[in-house]
Each structure stands twice: as structure tokens, then as C-alpha cells.
Amino acid sequence: TDNKPKEIYDEVEYYITHEYTDENVNQVYMFTYIRKLDYNTDNYGKIYFKHFSGYQFFEVIWIDRCVGLFNIGNNKYILDRERI
């Protein structure tokens, strides 16, 4: 598997963190319950999707930022300030 972090856009329903500590290890884990997005990029480099997919659990490294959603026609666009 690829251990390189990937940027994904999904809707987070819930997340939990768990800290595991013993005499040799101090590790923090974060798990999310998300609603998947099947997203694409348009001709202008903007990210959009048509509908949400199913729910899924993921172990994540961090939740970086919040993004906005808005509708244009049948598409829902993701407004991400870092991609403007």
C-alpha cells in the first residue's frame, strides 16, 4: 500500500481520537466516519461532484480544513480557499 498522505474531499459526520500510551509508545489515532464524494475537476480546475456516495470509516492523519459547498446546475462545487 501507498503510505504517502493523500488529500481527499469528503463530508465528515463524526470523528474520534484515541491516545495509546505504554512505557515505550505514545501514539494518537484519529478515525472518521465520512460520506464519500465521487468528485471531478472541471476545465477551470474547480472540484465538483454530482451526489454523495455511501458512508465509510477511515483512519486519518489529520483534518486540515473546512470547505464550502455550493450548487451550479446539477453539480455541487467545493469552495476550497487553498485552490482559489
Side-chain angles (χ1 to χ4, degrees):
T1 62
D2 184 12
N3 289 330
K4 183 180 175 185
K6 285 190 237 178
E7 183 174 68
I8 60 172
Y9 293 92
D10 296 309
E11 184 177 60
V12 176
E13 292 291 320
Y14 303 101
Y15 71 92
I16 61 171
T17 58
H18 172 72
E19 185 172 350
Y20 173 76
T21 305
D22 71 12
E23 58 212 35
N24 300 319
V25 176
N26 184 16
Q27 182 71 40
V28 177
Y29 298 95
M30 181 183 290
F31 300 95
T32 59
Y33 184 58
I34 62 168
R35 192 157 56 159
K36 294 283 295 164
L37 303 177
D38 294 324
Y39 57 88
N40 296 304
T41 305
D42 68 10
N43 296 337
Y44 302 102
K46 303 305 177 203
I47 301 168
Y48 72 94
F49 63 100
K50 295 203 180 282
H51 56 82
F52 290 98
S53 298
Y55 289 92
Q56 194 170 0
F57 281 101
F58 271 96
E59 180 180 1
V60 298
I61 298 171
W62 69 83
I63 298 173
D64 187 44
R65 62 191 176 277
C66 293
V67 296
L69 302 177
F70 63 96
N71 295 325
I72 297 179
N74 293 328
N75 295 327
K76 296 170 181 54
Y77 278 82
I78 297 172
L79 180 59
D80 183 355
R81 290 180 184 248
E82 290 193 11
R83 293 184 64 116
I84 294 177

